[in-house]
Amino acid sequence: NYKGLLPLPPILPFQQNHKFRPKTHFPKPSVKPHKSATSSHNHSLIPPSPLSQADEQLGQQLNSLKIKKKCNVVETTTQALVAAKRPDNGGVEGQVISLLANHFRVKFDSCQQIFHYNVEICPNPPKEVARAIKKKLVEDNPGVLCEASPAFDGRKNLYSPVEFRSNRLEFFVNLPVVVNSKSCLEGNTKEGVEQKVKLFRVNINLVSKLDGNDLKKYLSNEGDNWVPLPQEYLHALDVVLRECPNEKCIGLGRSMYSVSMGGSRDIGGGAVGLRGFFQSLRPTQQGLALNVDLSVTAFHESIGVLEFLQKRLKFLHDLPERKERSLTTKERKEVEKELKNLRVFVSHRDAVQKYRFHSLTEEVTEKLWFEDRDGSRLKLVEYFKDHYEYDIQYRNLPCLQISRRKPCYLPMELCMICEGQKFLGKLSDDQTVKIMKMGSQKPRERRAIINGVVNGPVGPRSGGKAEEFNLQISKEMTRLNGRVLRPPKLKLGNGGLVSDVLPSCIDRQWSLLGGHVVEGTRIDRWALMSFGGTPDQKSYVPKFISQLCLKCEQMGILLNRSTAITPQFEPIHVLNNVTLLESKLSKIQRATSNNLQLLLCLMEKKHKGYADLKRIAETRVGVVSQCCLYSNLGKLNSQFLTNMALKINAKVGGSTVALFNSLPSQIPRLLTQDEPIIFMGADVTHPHPLDDCSPSVVAVVGSTNWPSANRYVSRMRSQTHRQEIIEDLGEMVSEILVEFRQEVKSLPRRIIFFRDGVSETQFYKVLKEELQSIRAGCDKFPDYKPLITFAVVQKRHHTRLFPDESDPNCLHFCDENVPPGTVVDSVITHPREFDFYLCSHWGAKGTSRPAHYHVLWDESKFTSDEFQKLVYSLCFTFVRCTKPISIVPPAYYAHLAAYRGRLYLERSESMGSIKGVASTMSRVGPPKATPLPKISENVKRSMFYC
């Protein structure tokens, strides 16, 4: 009944005579009680009530009508349940290479039962406290638990290798609570600190009994029957192998972090970088394997809230010198944005309790009053002076409000940020570089770190938990053979003629020196616009234009040496004014008779107005643009000019390179010149983790030429917040098919669709829904039934490939990355489905991450060799560089297009009150997605997004 505000009452010991009233769960009445009343444990709470004969007949009639009406849909859904099987025993083309993969074989006993219990702890504690409760419970009750040492996920799930004496158990656990705040990262506590005791009630109920027979069948790949992956048993083993690491590390998703892996590093802006490791159980051809990899992420620095805000917000840098200052409305919003969801603790008294930031108080600290226990009103500033002998310094700043329902105030200057919190804010460029450097190791070093984790004191083999469940984890990485595919011969231009080039044998890069792009464009009408810049920087512009035109000419791109109008020099603040910026761009377009081919923009520095510039140019004015920073003009090296020329050429309609031997000649069994193929890519980008209302953005791209297949058009849409399934896929596919038919004069015989950004848990849903959407898009054309191949491209995985130093053939690059073209489709891949790892690029820094391709649907019936060769060849046709890229270009282009759509949305929303309105609605349900602006007709057929 305590109404009080700050300070909160101390944590009181739990009263033994407290009467609990467990909730009684009654089944809700339903139309079909005989189904809803049946529980998952093969027993029912209420006996099933039989349906009448008339009801049964009516139900049968309705079902038969539904089947007749939707027979095509049912048929498609049934087919989509099963992902494509591997068409053969794997590929055979390419030079064999010995490799190591960071998969550690896990042997399990399929006869070993695992008993799954549900755990309810009252009052509900955080994860670290829940684990301490479980540990003490096991220590104090060995007899009742049959001497078992169960594994606990910190929430609801408890797994034991033996069955407890009763299926329903209740315990009361007295847990000593350290009053002083514990260091999450360091793991050290002061000796002799005061302790209090808190009582928890723990209810443990048996949920199910699991065994490994289904997993054994799934891994054995025996027979033709499709066996689903036993997720529950696999999850139980995963919890078992995380038990010991979680006791010593900070767990975030599937990764665990600890200072013992190299300490923390200050990366600036109130954040620290921390090393850790990722681990995940995977079903593979060799059996069950534990994938372990190095992981690095940013955490909030455990410092005072005011110090944190000083590091994050420029307008608070001089706060100590201006203690009397207050916050404007705009500044308040910025502060709330930085503190959103952060957990803090107080420094004016010893307390273990953590509080989650909710909002800032409307009043400043000086004007805050609260009601004490006896109902008297106290002024907050005077209360702290009387009770804690502390004189609040920053009286014109608001307090932190830490409760949704009642006033509960914490003065900013007395709050500290809790350790162990993942940094959710957007990292700056400098912070990103420092984090990437922490996680960038040469292959030999990364391999040593991973081996050290697996066999070290915080890894999955520590603590003896695996042995209790009859699990044996290999000490060594998996050895396997990969294959290095031959690079394709490429086609470049040479003064109107065609010349061929073979990429270098090491990094597969090729040079444009002495050669032209395969399809150069002529740019007669272009303009230059400058934003900001010092007089010295502006003096570089004539030389820059001259050098760029010369480089374009050398590459077979005809860029007029004279701009259509004199270069326009504008102050940098024009980028802050959307109306003024649009007026300036429209004026340039009118001055060139609305026929401008390219707008080249120079910027003094990176500016948020870049997003407005792109949106206005591509949706309102109708011109493609290329931006660069003045800092690059002072050092006009050849590589910079080449990159600029390649991007300009692609945006205006040219092509960098093509395959010398076209795809039909490489895969003659399936592909022909007369039956064109379209390659499509799709990706969905979601808003920032702290954004709870902005729409997701989806992009679909498709090739428009055959057999070169190196020009792509795009379509972009916004959709429901964090919705992964593409909602308007059918419409976008049909629009791209129209573009393809206009260019090639016929519809494609086959659609090869690459889907980016899908996790393995979403494979079935994406396949089931998006495959039907693609077919629906094709159905808009009469009698059109193309053969569809649907493949998922994964880049965010943790499988790494290393040269095997024990193989003499690998000694010459033992500390280097695997060569481009390295493909693996055995041992570490799926037991039965059609997937493979392909490292198509050269990793100059750190350790290469191969792309993982998983073919979910294949009506063309590619062999392993054919599809791997197709993907690898496409990786050489990317327009922005002269080397193969890490993922297939359709997926890469879709990612770039989705990012462009995100730019449109973020800047256009920030100009109005859309986000504010959506935020108020977010608790009711996801707000309606703000539509993206339509791309101008002059731009939509170009590769403006690359």
Side-chain angles (χ1 to χ4, degrees), residues 567-598:
Q568 305 292 299
F569 293 92
E570 303 290 347
I572 191 73
H573 67 74
V574 170
L575 290 172
N576 293 322
N577 190 322
V578 177
T579 306
L580 181 59
L581 179 60
E582 183 172 346
S583 172
K584 299 281 187 184
L585 294 177
S586 299
K587 184 178 179 182
I588 292 176
Q589 179 71 299
R590 288 194 301 271
T592 56
S593 305
N594 293 321
N595 194 25
L596 196 64
Q597 293 172 273
L598 172 72

Side-chain angles (χ1 to χ4, degrees), residues 376-392:
S376 59
R377 284 177 56 78
L378 299 175
K379 192 173 184 180
L380 191 93
V381 173
E382 294 175 356
Y383 178 84
F384 273 87
K385 182 74 172 175
D386 295 340
H387 283 74
Y388 298 104
E389 298 181 355
Y390 182 81
D391 191 15
I392 294 178

Side-chain angles (χ1 to χ4, degrees), residues 614 624-626 647-653 942-944 946:
K614 289 294 183 181
V624 294
S625 58
Q626 177 60 51
K647 293 180 75 172
I648 288 171
N649 185 55
K651 289 179 178 181
V652 182
S942 70
M943 297 180 69
F944 63 92
C946 71

Side-chain angles (χ1 to χ4, degrees), residues 692-693 720-721 918-928:
D692 59 1
C693 62
T720 306
H721 175 74
S919 181
T920 60
M921 297 172 60
S922 61
R923 293 182 191 175
V924 180
K928 187 175 180 180

